[in-house]
Amino acid sequence: MAVAVRSELGAILERCAGLAEDVTYPSVRRWREDHPGGHAVGHFQVYFPEELIHAAGMLPVTLMGAGSRLEAKQADSHIGSFICSICRTSLELGFSGRVGFLDAFYTTPICDVARNLAGIWGRNFKGMTAEILYLPQNANAKQAVPYLRNEYARVLAELERIAGRPIEEADLRRSIGVYNENRRLLRELYRFKRETPWLLSTTEAYVLAKAGTVMPREDHNEILRTALAEIPNRDGRRQDRVRVVFEGGFCEQPPLDMLQLIEEACYIVDDDLLIGMRWIVDDVPETGDPLFALAESYLERSTYSSVQHDDRKPKEEMLLRRLAESGAQAVILAAAKMCEPGLDEQVAYSKTLEEKKIPFLLLDFEEKMTAFERMRMEVETFVESILFD
Amino acid sequence: MSVKQAHAPQLEGELVGRGRRDGNRLFKEWYAELDAAAAAGDPTAYVFVMGSAAEVLKAFDLNLVFPEINSLQMAVRKVSLDYLNKAEDYGYSTDVCGYVKADVGMHLDARKHPNGRIPKPSIVVATNMCNTYVKWVEIWQRMYGCKVFVLDIPGQRGIGWSTEPGSEQFENDRRYVQSQLEELIEACVAVTGRPFKIERLQENLAHVNRMAADWKAVLRLNQNIPAPFNAMADGLTYMGVLSAYRGTETGARYMAELREEMEHKVRLGIGTIAEERFRLHGVGPACYPYFRRFLELFQDWGAVFVSTEYLAYAGGGLDLGIQFDVERPLESLAEQLLITGRRSMSNMFFSQDQLADTVRDWKADGIVYHSVKSCRTVSTGMADSREYLTRIKDVPSLFVESDLVDPRIWSEAQFKNRIDAYFEALGARKSAALVAAKG
């Protein structure tokens, strides 16, 4: 974060970075203290319709592992050896009692490790709802939207049971409005990254976004609004740097140090980090049946990722579009270790980029990695090869 | 192609082992048909053992290719590493599923399989029962531009969650599955240029009804002591026929004859080894590159796998039988896909109570969990399920890790040490139980 910071933005970034890295979830604990009798509901990556939780007056919390800040001491004895780190440390958050404030935990069928989490969670953490939200995996089925609308209704009924009160359509519409605003603000944040990356680094954008996963979206919207107002006033200077897209951060999140070392060599002008927060790319309609609107938006107003097959969104074409729209000239193709969807996609992407003669660098990472010397050298060499090609 | 049709009393020598012999023969014939289809360029569907939708696809006379069976065969024939290397040279990580990579290696080698040439796919069907299926079909889509159809079967949502036909929840899921089947039929018409004939689907469903009833009976015959077949070894052949010949007269007859053989063995008390000292339930597949050795390490202790989870979920969910209502074929197929598909997934994700029941009903002394690197679907929750069953149900178990296709993950010394220690402890436990029973 080399850019000089004026006024409130520095404090906001510092606070968000703290929240993004703190596996004791101070903001959630504070919310629970401030809301006696309130409920918090956790969900695993990648996408979850948080509006349902929000409409129940509950606090949605995204569980996305714990990086190198938590050792999977207990979780390791409950899960196989060849499993990604994010699932291990997410379980450890449960076993260590760090997320004991949750009343429910949801996962989705993004991969089979994620689906297994519901069983492990349910066997070990009694008294907490542990379920799979079965997002449709045939995104092209004619009945996918009605099916999903009713699946959302099922989840909503469980949330009503936990909340002990009905959730009205008006509640849902209000929540959709709050989240539409959040998505608009995040799109604006990413516009800065694309158009003026010297004013906003990816690491900064990342912590600003990630803070939203552990606080009410109204508060997050306030943070984003303030930050967005400040960013144009920063005195960062444009540099002649290589512009890259970072692809492969859809589930397990790379360590901040890794993002920083990449940014020391080039501008990351777009990425798929925390893509679930930006999964829906346009406003969800705030009229009509809100559950239908959410279901339809998941399928019809959404971006792409390795964990969804949709014939309308061929992933290589979507990546090329991301590249073109961000004016990037190269791609960092990352994949988390042991991540089947990410590693499979890495091959497909690399073949297309090879064919199109677009420079790319393959990087394997783990959220818990702490040594980056080799990676730094790879990134620097990659960037130099583009500069001096 | 037909299984031996004679139903007259036979010499015991002919009856015992018939299922294995006929199974092997049917497999050779099946691969020969695929080889011929490859040469002729006949329409072919690639499908998976879980949720193959064979009933629909065979109504269009599509050849069925099971990539999982292809990869398994490469491993059993000890050539899987050659194919894995090809895929890794192409760019696939060592952490990617070995079944996928062995298959990719074969496609990069012009679809030359040790058992014959494999035809190109015209359509590929993946259920969501294993998420890697969906990634796998994308690979073929890129290679061949073939039609991809994801058949989504919503599974059990959580522990203790269940729905019954007729309930609002079940009907929501059933409508979704049925609508997809209708779309699958449209896709098959487009790909093959052949019309859909509902009576063909009804015939196929009727064959599955017979096959599933006999398969269920065969599995339950292993509750006898001694068990008439080894579920991990012989069961693999039987299950191969179950998948490849699902929805056919040949398959239905094979299963009826297999049942006849097993009933015969039970009547005469014929087991698989001289003395059945330990009865085991297996969770996870075997290590196929070292299949014989894998089995010997257990058999040397007088242990027999009387049942496996693999036969349940990889057998297409027919383990509890199935009864399609052929008078309302599509609706019934959707219902049963939902019921059996869900149960297969539950056997992996929420297996604890069902495992305890199997141990009880099959009179197993313990469970062997074989976690395989390639398959995170079955392996992720094993250690936790084991811990739960040990803690709550006091089921003695062994946990070992290797792979089902990649020989590089196998460590015989480590396996043997753990297996030996397990049986020593299991033997002591059985002795103590006997002493206690005698009072």
Side-chain angles (χ1 to χ4, degrees), chain A residues 78 81-82 109 112 115-116 123-124 131-132 137-138 142-143 150-151 154 306 309 315-316 340 345 348 351, chain B residues 90 96-97 128 131 135 138 141-142 150 152 155 157 169 172-173 176 179-180 183 345 352 373 376-377 384 401:
Chain A
H78 290 264
S81 302
F82 308 112
D112 291 318
R115 274 201 288 191
N116 265 291
R123 284 190 289 269
N124 288 283
E131 287 190 350
I132 301 172
Q137 286 175 279
N138 183 348
K142 286 176 192 151
Q143 284 293 315
N150 291 340
E151 176 67 354
R154 181 189 70 77
S306 302
H309 175 85
K315 287 180 270 289
E316 295 94 319
E340 184 80 41
E345 213 65 63
K351 298 298 173 193
Chain B
Y90 185 74
V96 163
C97 167
N128 62 317
N131 266 290
K135 302 309 294 176
E138 289 178 344
Q141 189 174 37
R142 289 170 180 127
V150 177
D152 188 16
R157 302 330 198 251
Q169 178 64 58
N172 179 45
D173 293 355
Y176 176 46
S179 160
Q180 292 178 78
E183 290 169 56
M345 287 187 274
Q352 62 287 337
K373 180 179 180 183
R376 296 175 180 93
T377 317
D384 183 66
E401 288 185 300

Short mmCIF file of all heavy atoms in Angstrom, two decimals, chain A residues 78 81-82 109 112 115-116 123-124 131-132 137-138 142-143 150-151 154 306 309 315-316 340 345 348 351, chain B residues 90 96-97 128 131 135 138 141-142 150 152 155 157 169 172-173 176 179-180 183 345 352 373 376-377 384 401:
data_model
loop_
_atom_site.label_atom_id
_atom_site.label_comp_id
_atom_site.label_asym_id
_atom_site.label_seq_id
_atom_site.Cartn_x
_atom_site.Cartn_y
_atom_site.Cartn_z
N HIS A 78 -10.14 -34.65 11.68
CA HIS A 78 -11.51 -34.88 11.23
C HIS A 78 -11.65 -34.82 9.71
O HIS A 78 -12.75 -34.93 9.19
CB HIS A 78 -12.45 -33.82 11.83
CG HIS A 78 -12.66 -33.98 13.31
ND1 HIS A 78 -13.74 -34.65 13.83
CD2 HIS A 78 -11.91 -33.59 14.36
CE1 HIS A 78 -13.66 -34.64 15.16
NE2 HIS A 78 -12.56 -34.00 15.50
N SER A 81 -6.26 -36.14 4.27
CA SER A 81 -4.99 -35.44 4.08
C SER A 81 -4.98 -34.55 2.84
O SER A 81 -4.28 -33.55 2.80
CB SER A 81 -3.85 -36.45 3.91
OG SER A 81 -3.78 -37.28 5.02
N PHE A 82 -5.74 -34.94 1.83
CA PHE A 82 -5.59 -34.28 0.53
C PHE A 82 -6.68 -33.23 0.31
O PHE A 82 -7.36 -33.21 -0.71
CB PHE A 82 -5.62 -35.35 -0.57
CG PHE A 82 -4.65 -36.46 -0.32
CD1 PHE A 82 -5.09 -37.74 -0.02
CD2 PHE A 82 -3.28 -36.23 -0.37
CE1 PHE A 82 -4.20 -38.77 0.22
CE2 PHE A 82 -2.38 -37.25 -0.13
CZ PHE A 82 -2.83 -38.52 0.17
N PRO A 109 -23.07 -26.47 -2.99
CA PRO A 109 -22.36 -27.53 -3.73
C PRO A 109 -21.31 -26.99 -4.71
O PRO A 109 -21.29 -27.35 -5.87
CB PRO A 109 -23.48 -28.25 -4.47
CG PRO A 109 -24.59 -27.28 -4.59
CD PRO A 109 -24.44 -26.29 -3.47
N ASP A 112 -16.99 -30.94 -3.67
CA ASP A 112 -17.43 -32.00 -2.75
C ASP A 112 -16.82 -31.86 -1.36
O ASP A 112 -17.36 -32.41 -0.41
CB ASP A 112 -17.16 -33.36 -3.37
CG ASP A 112 -18.09 -33.57 -4.55
OD1 ASP A 112 -19.27 -33.20 -4.43
OD2 ASP A 112 -17.63 -34.03 -5.60
N ARG A 115 -19.36 -29.63 0.20
CA ARG A 115 -20.60 -30.34 0.56
C ARG A 115 -20.39 -31.19 1.82
O ARG A 115 -21.27 -31.32 2.65
CB ARG A 115 -21.05 -31.24 -0.60
CG ARG A 115 -21.90 -30.50 -1.59
CD ARG A 115 -22.73 -31.44 -2.42
NE ARG A 115 -21.93 -32.18 -3.39
CZ ARG A 115 -22.48 -32.90 -4.37
NH1 ARG A 115 -23.78 -32.98 -4.48
NH2 ARG A 115 -21.73 -33.54 -5.23
N ASN A 116 -19.22 -31.79 1.93
CA ASN A 116 -18.93 -32.61 3.11
C ASN A 116 -18.91 -31.79 4.40
O ASN A 116 -19.11 -32.34 5.48
CB ASN A 116 -17.57 -33.30 2.94
CG ASN A 116 -17.70 -34.71 2.38
OD1 ASN A 116 -18.21 -35.61 3.06
ND2 ASN A 116 -17.25 -34.93 1.16
N ARG A 123 -22.22 -33.13 12.64
CA ARG A 123 -21.86 -34.18 13.59
C ARG A 123 -21.14 -33.63 14.82
O ARG A 123 -21.16 -34.25 15.88
CB ARG A 123 -20.97 -35.22 12.90
CG ARG A 123 -21.70 -36.18 11.98
CD ARG A 123 -20.81 -37.32 11.54
NE ARG A 123 -19.78 -36.92 10.60
CZ ARG A 123 -19.89 -36.93 9.27
NH1 ARG A 123 -21.02 -37.34 8.73
NH2 ARG A 123 -18.91 -36.56 8.49
N ASN A 124 -20.51 -32.49 14.64
CA ASN A 124 -19.65 -32.01 15.72
C ASN A 124 -20.18 -30.81 16.50
O ASN A 124 -19.81 -30.64 17.65
CB ASN A 124 -18.26 -31.66 15.16
CG ASN A 124 -17.48 -32.90 14.78
OD1 ASN A 124 -16.95 -33.59 15.64
ND2 ASN A 124 -17.46 -33.21 13.50
N GLU A 131 -26.44 -27.05 7.12
CA GLU A 131 -27.14 -27.52 5.92
C GLU A 131 -26.42 -27.12 4.64
O GLU A 131 -25.59 -26.21 4.63
CB GLU A 131 -28.56 -26.91 5.87
CG GLU A 131 -29.51 -27.52 6.87
CD GLU A 131 -30.94 -27.09 6.63
OE1 GLU A 131 -31.17 -26.17 5.81
OE2 GLU A 131 -31.84 -27.66 7.27
N ILE A 132 -26.82 -27.82 3.58
CA ILE A 132 -26.38 -27.45 2.23
C ILE A 132 -27.52 -26.68 1.57
O ILE A 132 -28.66 -27.14 1.56
CB ILE A 132 -26.08 -28.71 1.38
CG1 ILE A 132 -24.99 -29.56 2.03
CG2 ILE A 132 -25.67 -28.31 -0.03
CD1 ILE A 132 -24.77 -30.91 1.36
N GLN A 137 -27.17 -26.84 -10.09
CA GLN A 137 -25.94 -27.07 -10.84
C GLN A 137 -26.20 -27.26 -12.33
O GLN A 137 -25.27 -27.39 -13.10
CB GLN A 137 -25.19 -28.25 -10.23
CG GLN A 137 -24.54 -27.84 -8.91
CD GLN A 137 -23.89 -28.98 -8.18
OE1 GLN A 137 -24.55 -29.75 -7.51
NE2 GLN A 137 -22.59 -29.11 -8.33
N ASN A 138 -27.47 -27.31 -12.69
CA ASN A 138 -27.81 -27.23 -14.11
C ASN A 138 -28.35 -25.82 -14.33
O ASN A 138 -29.56 -25.58 -14.28
CB ASN A 138 -28.85 -28.29 -14.48
CG ASN A 138 -29.16 -28.28 -15.97
OD1 ASN A 138 -28.78 -27.35 -16.68
ND2 ASN A 138 -29.84 -29.30 -16.44
N LYS A 142 -34.61 -25.30 -17.65
CA LYS A 142 -35.74 -24.36 -17.70
C LYS A 142 -36.34 -24.14 -16.31
O LYS A 142 -36.87 -23.08 -16.01
CB LYS A 142 -36.82 -24.91 -18.64
CG LYS A 142 -36.44 -24.80 -20.11
CD LYS A 142 -37.50 -25.44 -21.00
CE LYS A 142 -36.96 -25.59 -22.42
NZ LYS A 142 -37.55 -26.72 -23.13
N GLN A 143 -36.30 -25.17 -15.50
CA GLN A 143 -36.92 -25.08 -14.17
C GLN A 143 -35.93 -24.62 -13.08
O GLN A 143 -36.27 -24.68 -11.90
CB GLN A 143 -37.47 -26.46 -13.78
CG GLN A 143 -38.77 -26.82 -14.48
CD GLN A 143 -39.93 -25.93 -14.05
OE1 GLN A 143 -40.11 -25.66 -12.87
NE2 GLN A 143 -40.70 -25.45 -15.00
N ASN A 150 -37.85 -21.94 -4.70
CA ASN A 150 -38.41 -22.75 -3.62
C ASN A 150 -37.34 -23.24 -2.65
O ASN A 150 -37.61 -23.44 -1.47
CB ASN A 150 -39.18 -23.94 -4.21
CG ASN A 150 -40.45 -23.48 -4.90
OD1 ASN A 150 -40.93 -22.38 -4.64
ND2 ASN A 150 -40.97 -24.29 -5.79
N GLU A 151 -36.13 -23.42 -3.16
CA GLU A 151 -35.01 -23.80 -2.26
C GLU A 151 -34.71 -22.62 -1.32
O GLU A 151 -34.45 -22.82 -0.13
CB GLU A 151 -33.79 -24.19 -3.09
CG GLU A 151 -32.52 -24.51 -2.30
CD GLU A 151 -32.59 -25.76 -1.44
OE1 GLU A 151 -33.67 -26.38 -1.34
OE2 GLU A 151 -31.56 -26.11 -0.84
N ARG A 154 -37.22 -22.64 1.36
CA ARG A 154 -36.91 -23.65 2.38
C ARG A 154 -35.92 -23.07 3.40
O ARG A 154 -36.10 -23.20 4.62
CB ARG A 154 -36.30 -24.89 1.71
CG ARG A 154 -35.95 -26.02 2.68
CD ARG A 154 -35.16 -27.11 2.00
NE ARG A 154 -33.81 -26.72 1.64
CZ ARG A 154 -32.79 -26.63 2.50
NH1 ARG A 154 -32.98 -26.90 3.78
NH2 ARG A 154 -31.59 -26.26 2.09
N SER A 306 -15.16 -20.92 -11.62
CA SER A 306 -14.82 -22.33 -11.87
C SER A 306 -15.83 -23.28 -11.26
O SER A 306 -15.87 -24.44 -11.62
CB SER A 306 -13.45 -22.64 -11.26
OG SER A 306 -12.48 -21.81 -11.79
N HIS A 309 -21.02 -24.47 -13.86
CA HIS A 309 -21.07 -24.75 -15.29
C HIS A 309 -22.31 -24.08 -15.86
O HIS A 309 -23.42 -24.33 -15.40
CB HIS A 309 -21.12 -26.25 -15.56
CG HIS A 309 -21.29 -26.57 -17.01
ND1 HIS A 309 -20.23 -26.64 -17.87
CD2 HIS A 309 -22.40 -26.77 -17.75
CE1 HIS A 309 -20.67 -26.88 -19.09
NE2 HIS A 309 -21.99 -26.97 -19.05
N LYS A 315 -16.12 -20.25 -19.73
CA LYS A 315 -15.23 -19.55 -18.79
C LYS A 315 -14.03 -18.88 -19.47
O LYS A 315 -13.64 -17.79 -19.09
CB LYS A 315 -14.81 -20.52 -17.69
CG LYS A 315 -15.99 -20.77 -16.73
CD LYS A 315 -15.63 -21.72 -15.63
CE LYS A 315 -15.89 -23.14 -15.97
NZ LYS A 315 -17.32 -23.51 -16.06
N GLU A 316 -13.51 -19.52 -20.50
CA GLU A 316 -12.37 -18.89 -21.18
C GLU A 316 -12.80 -17.58 -21.84
O GLU A 316 -12.08 -16.58 -21.77
CB GLU A 316 -11.79 -19.82 -22.26
CG GLU A 316 -11.18 -21.09 -21.71
CD GLU A 316 -12.16 -22.25 -21.69
OE1 GLU A 316 -13.34 -22.02 -21.35
OE2 GLU A 316 -11.75 -23.37 -22.00
N GLU A 340 -9.81 -28.89 -6.72
CA GLU A 340 -10.10 -29.54 -8.00
C GLU A 340 -10.66 -28.55 -9.03
O GLU A 340 -10.13 -28.48 -10.16
CB GLU A 340 -11.09 -30.69 -7.77
CG GLU A 340 -11.40 -31.52 -8.99
CD GLU A 340 -10.32 -32.55 -9.33
OE1 GLU A 340 -9.79 -33.17 -8.39
OE2 GLU A 340 -9.98 -32.72 -10.51
N GLU A 345 -9.53 -25.74 -14.02
CA GLU A 345 -9.78 -24.55 -14.84
C GLU A 345 -8.47 -23.90 -15.26
O GLU A 345 -8.37 -23.33 -16.35
CB GLU A 345 -10.59 -23.54 -14.01
CG GLU A 345 -11.54 -22.72 -14.81
CD GLU A 345 -12.62 -23.58 -15.44
OE1 GLU A 345 -13.40 -24.19 -14.71
OE2 GLU A 345 -12.66 -23.63 -16.68
N ALA A 348 -7.45 -25.20 -18.56
CA ALA A 348 -8.28 -24.69 -19.67
C ALA A 348 -7.93 -23.24 -20.00
O ALA A 348 -7.77 -22.87 -21.16
CB ALA A 348 -9.75 -24.81 -19.30
N LYS A 351 -4.51 -22.93 -21.79
CA LYS A 351 -4.50 -23.33 -23.21
C LYS A 351 -5.06 -22.20 -24.09
O LYS A 351 -4.55 -21.92 -25.17
CB LYS A 351 -5.32 -24.61 -23.41
CG LYS A 351 -4.78 -25.82 -22.67
CD LYS A 351 -3.39 -26.20 -23.13
CE LYS A 351 -2.78 -27.29 -22.25
NZ LYS A 351 -1.34 -27.48 -22.48
N TYR B 90 0.66 -32.43 -19.97
CA TYR B 90 -0.23 -31.50 -20.67
C TYR B 90 -0.53 -30.28 -19.80
O TYR B 90 -0.87 -29.22 -20.31
CB TYR B 90 -1.54 -32.23 -21.02
CG TYR B 90 -2.52 -31.45 -21.85
CD1 TYR B 90 -2.29 -31.23 -23.20
CD2 TYR B 90 -3.69 -30.96 -21.28
CE1 TYR B 90 -3.22 -30.53 -23.97
CE2 TYR B 90 -4.61 -30.26 -22.04
CZ TYR B 90 -4.38 -30.05 -23.38
OH TYR B 90 -5.30 -29.35 -24.13
N VAL B 96 -4.90 -33.02 -9.04
CA VAL B 96 -6.18 -33.23 -9.73
C VAL B 96 -6.54 -34.72 -9.67
O VAL B 96 -5.66 -35.58 -9.68
CB VAL B 96 -6.08 -32.74 -11.20
CG1 VAL B 96 -7.20 -33.29 -12.06
CG2 VAL B 96 -6.09 -31.21 -11.24
N CYS B 97 -7.82 -35.01 -9.62
CA CYS B 97 -8.33 -36.39 -9.57
C CYS B 97 -7.64 -37.28 -10.61
O CYS B 97 -7.61 -36.95 -11.80
CB CYS B 97 -9.84 -36.36 -9.82
SG CYS B 97 -10.56 -37.98 -10.15
N ASN B 128 -24.63 -34.21 -10.64
CA ASN B 128 -23.90 -33.44 -9.63
C ASN B 128 -23.49 -34.33 -8.47
O ASN B 128 -23.00 -33.83 -7.46
CB ASN B 128 -24.80 -32.32 -9.10
CG ASN B 128 -26.03 -32.89 -8.43
OD1 ASN B 128 -26.65 -33.83 -8.95
ND2 ASN B 128 -26.39 -32.36 -7.29
N ASN B 131 -18.96 -33.60 -7.85
CA ASN B 131 -18.74 -32.31 -8.51
C ASN B 131 -17.68 -32.38 -9.60
O ASN B 131 -17.73 -31.62 -10.57
CB ASN B 131 -18.35 -31.25 -7.49
CG ASN B 131 -19.54 -30.47 -7.00
OD1 ASN B 131 -20.10 -29.69 -7.75
ND2 ASN B 131 -19.97 -30.70 -5.78
N LYS B 135 -16.67 -30.86 -13.82
CA LYS B 135 -15.41 -30.34 -14.39
C LYS B 135 -14.91 -31.25 -15.50
O LYS B 135 -14.33 -30.80 -16.49
CB LYS B 135 -14.34 -30.22 -13.30
CG LYS B 135 -14.68 -29.33 -12.14
CD LYS B 135 -15.17 -27.96 -12.54
CE LYS B 135 -14.13 -27.11 -13.23
NZ LYS B 135 -14.71 -25.82 -13.67
N GLU B 138 -16.56 -30.77 -18.86
CA GLU B 138 -16.11 -29.54 -19.52
C GLU B 138 -14.84 -29.81 -20.34
O GLU B 138 -14.61 -29.17 -21.37
CB GLU B 138 -15.85 -28.45 -18.47
CG GLU B 138 -17.13 -27.89 -17.84
CD GLU B 138 -16.86 -26.84 -16.78
OE1 GLU B 138 -15.70 -26.75 -16.30
OE2 GLU B 138 -17.80 -26.11 -16.41
N GLN B 141 -15.99 -31.28 -23.52
CA GLN B 141 -16.66 -30.25 -24.30
C GLN B 141 -15.62 -29.42 -25.06
O GLN B 141 -15.80 -29.08 -26.22
CB GLN B 141 -17.49 -29.35 -23.38
CG GLN B 141 -18.40 -28.39 -24.11
CD GLN B 141 -19.29 -27.62 -23.15
OE1 GLN B 141 -18.88 -27.26 -22.04
NE2 GLN B 141 -20.53 -27.38 -23.55
N ARG B 142 -14.51 -29.13 -24.37
CA ARG B 142 -13.45 -28.35 -25.02
C ARG B 142 -12.75 -29.18 -26.09
O ARG B 142 -12.35 -28.66 -27.14
CB ARG B 142 -12.45 -27.88 -23.98
CG ARG B 142 -13.01 -26.80 -23.08
CD ARG B 142 -12.09 -26.51 -21.91
NE ARG B 142 -12.65 -25.47 -21.07
CZ ARG B 142 -12.84 -25.58 -19.76
NH1 ARG B 142 -12.51 -26.67 -19.13
NH2 ARG B 142 -13.36 -24.58 -19.08
N VAL B 150 -25.78 -31.39 -17.74
CA VAL B 150 -25.62 -31.60 -16.30
C VAL B 150 -26.99 -31.96 -15.73
O VAL B 150 -27.93 -31.18 -15.84
CB VAL B 150 -25.05 -30.36 -15.60
CG1 VAL B 150 -24.96 -30.60 -14.09
CG2 VAL B 150 -23.68 -30.00 -16.15
N ASP B 152 -28.92 -32.35 -12.63
CA ASP B 152 -28.77 -31.89 -11.25
C ASP B 152 -29.79 -32.59 -10.35
O ASP B 152 -31.00 -32.47 -10.56
CB ASP B 152 -28.99 -30.37 -11.23
CG ASP B 152 -28.69 -29.75 -9.89
OD1 ASP B 152 -28.04 -30.42 -9.06
OD2 ASP B 152 -29.10 -28.59 -9.66
N GLY B 155 -29.51 -32.99 -3.33
CA GLY B 155 -29.29 -34.04 -2.33
C GLY B 155 -29.87 -33.69 -0.97
O GLY B 155 -30.61 -32.70 -0.80
N ARG B 157 -30.16 -32.21 2.55
CA ARG B 157 -29.70 -30.87 2.94
C ARG B 157 -28.89 -30.88 4.24
O ARG B 157 -28.05 -30.03 4.46
CB ARG B 157 -30.86 -29.91 3.10
CG ARG B 157 -31.80 -29.65 1.91
CD ARG B 157 -31.23 -29.76 0.55
NE ARG B 157 -32.08 -29.10 -0.44
CZ ARG B 157 -32.82 -29.72 -1.36
NH1 ARG B 157 -32.78 -31.04 -1.48
NH2 ARG B 157 -33.57 -29.02 -2.21
N GLN B 169 -41.72 -30.37 -0.46
CA GLN B 169 -40.28 -30.29 -0.71
C GLN B 169 -39.84 -31.30 -1.77
O GLN B 169 -39.11 -30.98 -2.70
CB GLN B 169 -39.52 -30.56 0.60
CG GLN B 169 -38.01 -30.54 0.45
CD GLN B 169 -37.48 -29.19 0.04
OE1 GLN B 169 -37.70 -28.20 0.73
NE2 GLN B 169 -36.79 -29.12 -1.08
N ASN B 172 -41.01 -30.29 -5.24
CA ASN B 172 -40.23 -29.20 -5.83
C ASN B 172 -38.99 -29.76 -6.51
O ASN B 172 -38.67 -29.42 -7.65
CB ASN B 172 -39.81 -28.18 -4.76
CG ASN B 172 -38.97 -27.04 -5.33
OD1 ASN B 172 -39.31 -26.49 -6.38
ND2 ASN B 172 -37.87 -26.72 -4.66
N ASP B 173 -38.31 -30.65 -5.81
CA ASP B 173 -37.10 -31.26 -6.37
C ASP B 173 -37.45 -32.18 -7.54
O ASP B 173 -36.75 -32.21 -8.55
CB ASP B 173 -36.35 -32.06 -5.27
CG ASP B 173 -35.77 -31.16 -4.19
OD1 ASP B 173 -35.86 -29.93 -4.34
OD2 ASP B 173 -35.23 -31.68 -3.20
N TYR B 176 -38.14 -30.39 -10.79
CA TYR B 176 -36.88 -29.90 -11.35
C TYR B 176 -36.15 -31.04 -12.08
O TYR B 176 -35.70 -30.88 -13.22
CB TYR B 176 -36.04 -29.34 -10.20
CG TYR B 176 -34.65 -28.87 -10.53
CD1 TYR B 176 -34.40 -28.05 -11.64
CD2 TYR B 176 -33.58 -29.20 -9.70
CE1 TYR B 176 -33.12 -27.60 -11.91
CE2 TYR B 176 -32.30 -28.75 -9.96
CZ TYR B 176 -32.07 -27.95 -11.07
OH TYR B 176 -30.81 -27.50 -11.34
N SER B 179 -38.15 -32.15 -15.25
CA SER B 179 -38.02 -31.18 -16.33
C SER B 179 -36.66 -31.35 -17.03
O SER B 179 -36.55 -31.24 -18.26
CB SER B 179 -38.17 -29.78 -15.75
OG SER B 179 -37.62 -28.83 -16.59
N GLN B 180 -35.64 -31.64 -16.23
CA GLN B 180 -34.31 -31.85 -16.83
C GLN B 180 -34.30 -33.11 -17.69
O GLN B 180 -33.66 -33.15 -18.75
CB GLN B 180 -33.26 -31.98 -15.74
CG GLN B 180 -33.01 -30.70 -14.97
CD GLN B 180 -31.99 -30.93 -13.89
OE1 GLN B 180 -30.80 -31.00 -14.14
NE2 GLN B 180 -32.46 -31.08 -12.65
N GLU B 183 -35.63 -32.30 -20.95
CA GLU B 183 -34.65 -31.57 -21.74
C GLU B 183 -33.53 -32.51 -22.25
O GLU B 183 -32.99 -32.31 -23.33
CB GLU B 183 -34.08 -30.42 -20.92
CG GLU B 183 -35.11 -29.31 -20.69
CD GLU B 183 -34.66 -28.29 -19.66
OE1 GLU B 183 -33.59 -27.70 -19.83
OE2 GLU B 183 -35.38 -28.09 -18.66
N MET B 345 -25.57 -39.92 -2.45
CA MET B 345 -24.81 -38.77 -1.95
C MET B 345 -24.78 -38.78 -0.43
O MET B 345 -23.76 -38.47 0.18
CB MET B 345 -25.42 -37.47 -2.48
CG MET B 345 -25.15 -37.25 -3.95
SD MET B 345 -25.68 -35.62 -4.53
CE MET B 345 -27.39 -35.91 -4.93
N GLN B 352 -23.03 -41.42 8.69
CA GLN B 352 -22.79 -42.04 9.99
C GLN B 352 -23.85 -43.05 10.43
O GLN B 352 -23.50 -44.19 10.79
CB GLN B 352 -22.59 -40.97 11.08
CG GLN B 352 -23.76 -40.03 11.34
CD GLN B 352 -23.99 -39.02 10.25
OE1 GLN B 352 -23.09 -38.69 9.49
NE2 GLN B 352 -25.22 -38.54 10.15
N LYS B 373 -6.73 -40.07 -2.50
CA LYS B 373 -6.41 -38.69 -2.84
C LYS B 373 -7.30 -38.18 -3.98
O LYS B 373 -7.76 -37.04 -3.96
CB LYS B 373 -4.94 -38.58 -3.24
CG LYS B 373 -4.54 -37.16 -3.62
CD LYS B 373 -3.09 -37.03 -4.00
CE LYS B 373 -2.78 -35.57 -4.36
NZ LYS B 373 -1.39 -35.39 -4.80
N ARG B 376 -12.17 -36.62 -3.49
CA ARG B 376 -12.49 -35.86 -2.28
C ARG B 376 -13.97 -36.01 -1.92
O ARG B 376 -14.36 -35.77 -0.79
CB ARG B 376 -12.12 -34.40 -2.48
CG ARG B 376 -10.61 -34.23 -2.67
CD ARG B 376 -10.18 -32.83 -3.00
NE ARG B 376 -8.74 -32.78 -3.15
CZ ARG B 376 -8.09 -32.91 -4.31
NH1 ARG B 376 -8.77 -33.07 -5.43
NH2 ARG B 376 -6.78 -32.86 -4.35
N THR B 377 -14.76 -36.41 -2.91
CA THR B 377 -16.19 -36.63 -2.65
C THR B 377 -16.36 -37.67 -1.55
O THR B 377 -17.10 -37.46 -0.60
CB THR B 377 -16.89 -37.13 -3.94
OG1 THR B 377 -16.42 -36.37 -5.03
CG2 THR B 377 -18.38 -37.03 -3.83
N ASP B 384 -13.89 -37.93 9.95
CA ASP B 384 -14.85 -37.44 10.93
C ASP B 384 -15.94 -38.47 11.19
O ASP B 384 -16.35 -38.69 12.34
CB ASP B 384 -15.48 -36.13 10.45
CG ASP B 384 -16.42 -35.56 11.48
OD1 ASP B 384 -15.93 -35.18 12.56
OD2 ASP B 384 -17.63 -35.55 11.25
N GLU B 401 -4.77 -44.49 3.80
CA GLU B 401 -4.87 -43.56 2.67
C GLU B 401 -3.97 -44.00 1.52
O GLU B 401 -2.84 -44.45 1.76
CB GLU B 401 -4.44 -42.15 3.10
CG GLU B 401 -5.43 -41.45 4.01
CD GLU B 401 -5.04 -40.01 4.32
OE1 GLU B 401 -3.96 -39.82 4.89
OE2 GLU B 401 -5.82 -39.11 4.00
#
